[in-house]
Amino acid sequence: VQLQAYGGGLVQAGGSLRLSCAASGHDFIINTMTWYRHRPGKQRELVATITKDGSTNYGDSLKDRFTISLDTVKNTVYLQMRNLRPEDTATYSCSANAWTLRLGPVDYWGLGTQVTVSS
């Protein structure tokens, strides 16, 4: 299973961005998809996760501004980010727990997309 994140860019504080992460491959079933971010000088942190049934979980203090959603037909997870702050500047990456007949449930990771918020 391959993951490709896109949608990052430069945005002014207070602005919005929507990130996408598409999963591709053969004969897989998505169980959960998760957004992480890696801010400069900080450890990687969980942003939000969503199950195939639509249950969501968010990192601390992000739920008010970030919304995760999943298109199970397109196998694509989205992260809508609003009222962005300079401290949201980070590389955002996605992961997926997906089931394949050959390997069973496995965690897959994709490359990140850079989000830069200017003050």
Side-chain angles (χ1 to χ4, degrees), residues 7-27:
L10 175 64
V11 63
Q12 287 189 329
S16 299
L17 275 178
R18 188 176 83 151
L19 306 182
S20 303
C21 178
S24 61
H26 295 286
D27 298 325

Side-chain angles (χ1 to χ4, degrees), residues 24-66:
S24 61
H26 295 286
D27 298 325
F28 65 94
I29 298 173
I30 295 292
N31 293 317
T32 63
M33 294 191 79
T34 301
W35 283 101
Y36 292 90
R37 69 181 182 182
H38 193 176
R39 295 186 286 175
K42 295 185 179 297
Q43 290 186 330
R44 186 182 68 198
E45 60 184 312
L46 182 144
V47 176
T49 190
I50 187 167
T51 70
K52 60 183 178 181
D53 300 321
S55 297
T56 59
N57 187 47
Y58 292 86
D60 292 343
S61 305
L62 296 177
K63 186 175 183 179
D64 290 343
R65 299 185 295 119
F66 291 7

